[in-house]
Amino acid sequence: MAELRHSSSAGSRSSSSPLRVGDEDSSSPHVHDHSPNGGGGGDDEDGRPRHRPIWSVSGLHSLFPFLGDDLRVSPQKNKISLLLILVVAVVSLISVYGIVNHLNAPYLCKKDGIVLNCPHVKESPSPWENPLSATTSWKPCAERRIGGVSDLRPENETNGYVFIHAEGGLNQQRIAICNAVAVAKIMNATLILPVLKQDQIWKDQTKFEDIFDVDHFIDYLKDDVRIVRDIPDWFTDKAELFSSIRRTVKNIPKYAAAQFYIDNVLPRIKEKKIMALKPFVDRLGYDNVPQEINRLRCRVNYHALKFLPEIEQMADSLVSRMRNRTGNPNPYMALHLRFEKGMVGLSFCDFVGTREEKARMAEYRQKEWPRRFKNGSHLWQLALQKRKEGRCPLEPGEVAVILRAMGYPKETQIYVASGQVYGGQNRMAPLRNMFPNLVTKEDLAGKEELASFRKHVTSLAALDFLVCLKSDVFVMTHGGNFAKLIIGARRYMGHRQKSIKPDKGLMSKSFGDPYMGWATFVEDVVVTHQTRTGLPEETFPNYDLWENPLTPCMCKA
């Protein structure tokens, strides 16, 4: 893809499409005539241009021709006219200042303590940081407990033991662990340290203690929930858990209320003393539980769950290398590029490719998702609809064009967190051409350094998580637990760090417009994403706690 060239005018239209940015005409339509007879008001005797003072009679006539010749006739009228002109000029300056202030404002203000869109706060935007005004309204406070003291009941008053398998990848497991602590608290039960379950995609045998600091986890939550490392010794048939219907609570609805656990799960725990909950993905709601329970989930997520020291140290080393790749300290961007084969297939979106590629993808989808694939005849219409609605992953080339439109230069240092990109180097070429300083953890660290982390897939995912979390700018390209946990954590840390969430629906319209010029596209991108950078935003019913922890887990500064 050709090198992008930025237009200096945000209001003009180019003849090329945003995805076909080429050389621009360097000439300007505003050409000034500097010839001796070019209408410049005449020259002095030494050849230099002669300028009339603005407030001279001639100068006023040049600015306000509607005044006529009365200024030359009556001194009294002259004074009155000058006074009127002065008033008009002052009013005009105030209006111009207001317009400029409106255009340059970061679109932030406060309403009920929440920073919202407003046009009157002037602060220059930065490509690397959110406006300072966005960071002063809220501060993290999930560490606080109501009353400031422990309300944990004595050990002999526990209602029983709860055991869960945390399924999926690292970040899905993380959410399950947070929910497990909350559910144990709701029922006054003892939590057995969750097991990280191997699934068909990740195929990983990682244990809790292989990723997280168990001692810190148990100690930090000791005033909230009682947690034990293993199933009690008195329960002899450990294999019975998850295999016996009598020991497993199933059919827990998604986003269940706290009252559901009290009414339906707690009686069985009291009866059997130890119960497994299955499945346990997204089995606890957000607005149908007490606020202190939501705050507890944030306490687990942001404070209790710490990666092992060796993972933290390796991540810090990668961050340091990213910032000093050029020999001088530089900010860096982290890009979560979700364009693996599995994601492309699952999306059921259409992407440009050869006939052979499309045929292979159709076979893959039919094998993995036969019910959704059916006979494939409906997929083209479905793909078009999903793209219009912004439900398709962004391609690497599309991401590159959006970032350049946002003002990030070719020299930007970018850390890529992703699996094997579908289409390989050919698909990555546009992104790499526009941003050649593109690296992964494998580029930053040697094979020997990463060898110990390769034993567990989740360890490598933890490194990506931390490097993205600590980046100056984080960019997601598609949804998922990884992205929303990163964005939520960066918000919790103070909203200063930009977390860009592209508007894929609007971008699909722009990319499909062959008549949209580069300048117009830039303007659309900038205006659209002013409030999509991880700023504080009001929550609403069923808003995802992990992406926006504002109301339950943060307090007004």
Side-chain angles (χ1 to χ4, degrees):
M1 183 174 286
E3 169 65 25
L4 298 182
R5 305 179 191 274
H6 293 268
S7 168
S8 60
S9 172
S12 63
R13 284 183 177 267
S14 169
S15 61
S16 60
S17 169
L19 286 176
R20 296 178 55 204
V21 182
D23 295 338
E24 293 183 356
D25 187 357
S26 60
S27 63
S28 170
H30 306 289
V31 180
H32 300 281
D33 187 358
H34 295 292
S35 64
N37 299 319
D43 296 332
D44 290 333
E45 293 178 356
D46 58 0
R48 291 177 297 176
R50 184 172 65 250
H51 300 282
R52 297 187 181 96
I54 291 178
W55 296 110
S56 69
V57 173
S58 300
L60 289 171
H61 270 284
S62 65
L63 290 174
F64 305 98
F66 58 84
L67 291 175
D69 295 330
D70 290 344
L71 287 174
R72 295 187 177 89
V73 177
S74 171
Q76 183 67 24
K77 289 184 178 180
N78 190 0
K79 292 180 180 178
I80 295 174
S81 299
L82 284 173
L83 181 60
L84 290 173
I85 292 168
L86 181 61
V87 172
V88 171
V90 170
V91 173
S92 300
L93 287 173
I94 293 174
S95 299
V96 170
Y97 174 80
I99 293 172
V100 172
N101 188 38
H102 174 83
L103 293 175
N104 291 335
Y107 315 98
L108 296 169
C109 71
K110 295 179 183 178
K111 179 182 178 182
D112 299 328
I114 299 176
V115 179
L116 302 171
N117 262 0
C118 282
H120 63 269
V121 182
K122 183 178 181 181
E123 190 173 348
S124 298
S126 164
W128 293 104
E129 290 181 321
N130 279 323
L132 181 61
S133 56
T135 70
T136 57
S137 299
W138 296 84
K139 61 182 179 179
C141 61
E143 288 182 288
R144 299 181 188 176
R145 295 175 176 84
I146 294 179
V149 296
S150 172
D151 59 350
L152 188 65
R153 297 182 185 178
E155 185 175 359
N156 60 355
E157 293 185 17
T158 182
N159 286 322
Y161 292 80
V162 176
F163 184 59
I164 71 153
H165 268 183
E167 302 175 354
L170 173 64
N171 299 290
Q172 191 171 341
Q173 292 171 345
R174 188 184 190 99
I175 293 173
I177 293 167
C178 296
N179 286 339
V181 172
V183 166
K185 178 70 173 180
I186 290 171
M187 299 187 294
N188 185 34
T190 298
L191 177 66
I192 300 170
L193 195 68
V195 170
L196 308 186
K197 184 182 179 183
Q198 174 188 0
D199 68 12
Q200 295 179 352
I201 297 177
W202 288 85
K203 294 180 170 47
D204 192 38
Q205 295 288 358
T206 306
K207 297 178 181 178
F208 191 105
E209 55 268 28
D210 294 328
I211 295 293
F212 300 110
D213 187 331
V214 177
D215 292 334
H216 175 79
F217 179 72
I218 295 176
D219 183 67
Y220 192 90
L221 297 170
K222 64 184 179 182
D223 292 329
D224 295 297
V225 177
R226 185 168 288 101
I227 303 172
V228 295
R229 290 175 176 266
D230 203 353
I231 298 171
D233 293 335
W234 55 262
F235 188 78
T236 56
D237 192 2
K238 296 183 180 182
E240 185 181 351
L241 281 178
F242 282 92
S243 61
S244 171
I245 296 179
R246 295 184 299 106
R247 293 286 182 181
T248 303
V249 179
K250 293 188 176 183
N251 302 321
I252 300 174
K254 273 196 170 186
Y255 308 111
Q259 194 63 40
F260 175 89
Y261 285 93
I262 294 173
D263 295 339
N264 299 280
V265 182
L266 181 57
R268 297 192 64 184
I269 291 178
K270 286 183 175 179
E271 177 188 357
K272 301 292 185 181
K273 294 303 179 184
I274 180 168
M275 293 294 293
L277 309 183
K278 181 184 179 182
F280 199 69
V281 178
D282 297 327
R283 265 20 191 211
L284 185 64
Y286 304 114
D287 296 288
N288 48 15
V289 301
Q291 284 300 299
E292 181 56 25
I293 293 297
N294 280 333
R295 186 171 293 187
L296 172 60
R297 293 153 94 179
C298 288
R299 195 146 59 239
V300 179
N301 188 27
Y302 302 126
H303 300 284
L305 278 176
K306 287 185 63 177
F307 292 113
L308 292 176
E310 52 266 34
I311 295 177
E312 296 272 0
Q313 292 167 9
M314 187 67 221
D316 288 341
S317 178
L318 295 176
V319 169
S320 177
R321 294 173 194 179
M322 276 301 302
R323 296 196 189 283
N324 295 281
R325 290 189 69 232
T326 60
N328 299 313
N330 288 306
Y332 75 93
M333 174 187 293
L335 174 62
H336 185 218
L337 190 58
R338 295 201 74 190
F339 205 74
E340 305 91 347
K341 182 179 179 180
M343 179 51 60
V344 170
L346 181 61
S347 72
F348 277 81
C349 295
D350 183 72
F351 299 96
V352 177
T354 65
R355 185 173 299 177
E356 290 75 14
E357 285 178 323
K358 290 180 180 293
R360 287 196 297 269
M361 178 53 70
E363 292 176 1
Y364 174 69
R365 285 170 170 167
Q366 187 174 27
K367 178 183 176 182
E368 297 294 331
W369 303 280
R371 292 185 179 180
R372 291 186 60 189
F373 187 84
K374 299 179 182 177
N375 62 3
S377 61
H378 67 296
L379 293 182
W380 174 247
Q381 184 177 358
L382 176 65
L384 290 176
Q385 184 64 27
K386 294 189 72 165
R387 186 170 289 276
K388 289 180 181 179
E389 295 172 356
R391 294 190 290 144
C392 293
L394 288 173
E395 297 187 53
E398 293 174 331
V399 177
V401 174
I402 293 172
L403 294 179
R404 291 301 291 270
M406 289 181 177
Y408 294 100
K410 181 178 182 178
E411 298 74 25
T412 301
Q413 304 289 327
I414 301 181
Y415 179 89
V416 179
S418 73
Q420 185 66 38
V421 173
Y422 176 69
Q425 293 303 317
N426 289 338
R427 189 74 67 167
M428 285 291 292
L431 176 60
R432 195 173 293 280
N433 287 342
M434 292 191 211
F435 295 96
N437 295 320
L438 207 69
V439 296
T440 64
K441 56 183 172 292
E442 287 79 12
D443 298 316
L444 294 173
K447 291 183 178 180
E448 294 182 358
E449 288 182 289
L450 295 177
S452 60
F453 300 98
R454 293 188 185 281
K455 296 177 182 178
H456 306 290
V457 176
T458 45
S459 295
L460 295 175
L463 292 177
D464 278 342
F465 184 92
L466 289 172
V467 177
C468 288
L469 181 65
K470 299 178 182 182
S471 64
D472 297 275
V473 172
F474 172 71
V475 181
M476 60 167 286
T477 62
H478 200 49
N481 293 319
F482 183 98
K484 69 183 180 184
L485 283 170
I486 292 287
I487 291 175
R490 290 163 70 89
R491 279 176 163 159
Y492 186 77
M493 290 158 57
H495 299 96
R496 186 64 170 172
Q497 298 170 303
K498 276 194 172 183
S499 302
I500 299 174
K501 188 177 182 179
D503 187 332
K504 295 180 293 182
L506 182 65
M507 291 300 96
S508 69
K509 296 178 183 177
S510 299
F511 290 143
D513 185 354
Y515 302 105
M516 178 177 286
W518 176 247
T520 305
F521 177 73
V522 168
E523 184 179 11
D524 285 353
V525 169
V526 172
V527 172
T528 300
H529 294 91
Q530 284 163 353
T531 56
R532 298 179 69 90
T533 58
L535 296 172
E537 59 181 291
E538 292 181 274
T539 56
F540 48 85
N542 297 320
Y543 198 105
D544 197 314
L545 175 72
W546 314 113
E547 186 175 335
N548 187 3
L550 184 69
T551 304
C553 305
M554 302 185 73
C555 305
K556 294 179 181 179

